[in-house]
Amino acid sequence: MKLGPLTISPLDLLLVAVPAGLVMKFTGAPDAWIFVVACVAIIPLAGWMGRATEHLSAHYGPGVGGLLNASFGNAAELIIAAMALRHGLIDVVKASLTGSIIGNVLLVLGLALLLGGAKHKDQHFNKTSAGFGSTLMALSAVGLLVPGLYALVSGPAGVPHLASMSLEISIVLFLAYIASLVFSLITHRSVFAEAGGGHHVARPWSKGRAITVLVIATAFVGVMSELLVGSVEHTADAWGMPHVFVGVILVAIIGNAAEHSTAVLMAMKNQMDLAMNIAVGSGIQIALFVAPVLVFMSYGFGTPMDLVFTPMEIIAVACTVVILSLVAHDGRSHWLEGLLLLAVYVI
């Protein structure tokens, strides 16, 4: 079998930011510049991680391939958040979780519907698959929002219970994530196959090449994430931005940038099932996989993280879930729906 080449995309030109960031760190450049360069570097690195995972999926079949995609789909963001946890930036980590959920549904799906609808007048997607994603998002959002709602209702008396409650809910969410994989990859695989849930490569790389690229890209994402997190506090202060804004907007977008671009490109190719699966599926992975894993990791770092979010984050996530159900219910989309999603994101 002839192996596919290591094709270079225009996005890969941003890889020059990797050595630039290291040089700037060791020469004592301003934190704001290091932050920007690290953000830029992570975008193409995350793209290479996704590409390597896609080629591995071609070797191992749809079942294992789906598990690989689910595991590595948000790997860049998980690495960034883990580094932030290690530095004690719990507010930034929690804000990046809600920011990712909001961004995937409102920003990514909004851009996909807008640009895809501008090119194709009426687009269609599998209602069953989209409905499953919408329902799963709603249920997972409930798990994330309950500790915050409990904190608002109980006041200071409930504070001692928030850490243990968050850990218990994280276990439930993680088990729900495993169940969703069993559902989509084993018991109801045919439904998602009909929905176009896979993106096949014509000439896959060898397993060794794919694993090598994945390991190298992951390692460099870790290094760039360390630079990003190490400079985020000073950058936020220099730019006059609260840490929650940095997490909700900047870190959330950077961590999923490569995946975001894929969803938009698929929509422009009229592959709306795949675009929906990427955008909504990424949000679900954040709630059911990334959030629980970060809670588990926080205990290893000695600073247990709870799942108590600010009232505005709770409201934003709740609104996002409702909006997703409205968009997904009819199996059709057009550019105006995308524009309205983007309008809500801007608000």
Side-chain angles (χ1 to χ4, degrees):
M1 178 174 59
K2 188 176 180 180
L3 299 176
L6 286 168
T7 54
I8 304 298
S9 72
L11 193 67
D12 294 327
L13 296 175
L14 299 179
L15 286 171
V16 70
V18 175
L22 294 173
V23 170
M24 293 172 70
K25 176 64 176 178
F26 289 111
T27 55
D31 283 326
W33 283 104
I34 295 175
F35 177 83
V36 171
V37 171
C39 287
V40 171
I42 288 172
I43 294 173
L45 289 171
W48 278 101
M49 289 177 67
R51 225 178 298 178
T53 305
E54 182 180 315
H55 284 270
L56 278 176
S57 300
H59 286 287
Y60 290 109
V64 177
L67 181 59
L68 285 171
N69 281 311
S71 301
F72 285 96
N74 290 290
E77 182 164 12
L78 182 58
I79 293 170
I80 295 172
M83 295 297 178
L85 269 181
R86 194 165 69 85
H87 283 261
L89 302 177
I90 292 179
D91 287 343
V92 174
V93 174
K94 292 197 292 187
S96 71
L97 295 176
T98 53
S100 290
I101 294 172
I102 297 165
N104 276 298
V105 176
L106 299 181
L107 176 61
V108 181
L109 188 57
L111 278 173
L113 297 185
L114 175 62
L115 298 180
K119 194 171 182 181
H120 308 278
K121 184 177 180 180
D122 234 357
Q123 296 188 289
H124 301 267
F125 50 87
N126 185 292
K127 287 194 294 186
T128 303
S129 176
F132 168 73
S134 176
T135 302
L136 199 56
M137 177 70 84
L139 294 176
S140 58
V142 168
L144 290 182
L145 300 182
V146 163
L149 294 173
Y150 176 77
L152 289 174
V153 172
S154 63
V159 172
H161 308 291
L162 293 176
S164 60
M165 176 187 289
S166 298
L167 177 61
E168 292 159 2
I169 288 177
S170 295
I171 294 172
V172 174
L173 291 176
F174 191 79
L175 292 176
Y177 171 72
I178 300 299
S180 72
L181 290 180
V182 173
F183 181 85
S184 59
L185 301 179
I186 301 176
T187 64
H188 288 68
R189 183 172 57 184
S190 60
V191 174
F192 295 89
E194 292 170 5
H199 181 48
H200 304 288
V201 290
R203 293 186 297 162
W205 302 337
S206 67
K207 293 179 185 177
R209 178 189 289 183
I211 292 172
T212 300
V213 170
L214 182 60
V215 170
I216 293 174
T218 302
F220 275 111
V221 166
V223 173
M224 291 297 106
S225 298
E226 179 71 22
L227 297 185
L228 184 153
V229 170
S231 59
V232 67
E233 286 187 295
H234 293 102
T235 302
D237 294 337
W239 292 352
M241 297 184 303
H243 292 175
V244 170
F245 177 86
V246 173
V248 169
I249 305 298
L250 299 182
V251 175
I253 290 177
I254 295 300
N256 287 293
E259 199 169 25
H260 294 175
S261 61
T262 303
V264 175
L265 289 174
M266 291 302 104
M268 294 177 69
K269 292 179 181 179
N270 207 24
Q271 297 184 32
M272 279 308 299
D273 282 312
L274 189 52
M276 288 284 292
N277 286 345
I278 292 172
V280 179
S282 184
I284 293 170
Q285 288 171 23
I286 291 294
L288 294 183
F289 177 69
V290 175
V293 167
L294 288 173
V295 171
F296 302 151
M297 290 175 63
S298 70
Y299 280 83
F301 290 127
T303 53
M305 182 181 83
D306 58 43
L307 294 175
V308 178
F309 301 99
T310 65
M312 276 306 302
E313 288 178 285
I314 292 174
I315 293 170
V317 171
C319 290
T320 299
V321 169
V322 172
I323 290 169
L324 175 61
S325 65
L326 295 175
V327 171
H329 82 283
D330 60 352
R332 300 178 62 184
S333 64
H334 46 73
W335 67 265
L336 183 58
E337 281 186 335
L339 183 64
L340 295 176
L341 288 178
L342 291 174
V344 176
Y345 182 74
V346 171
I347 290 172

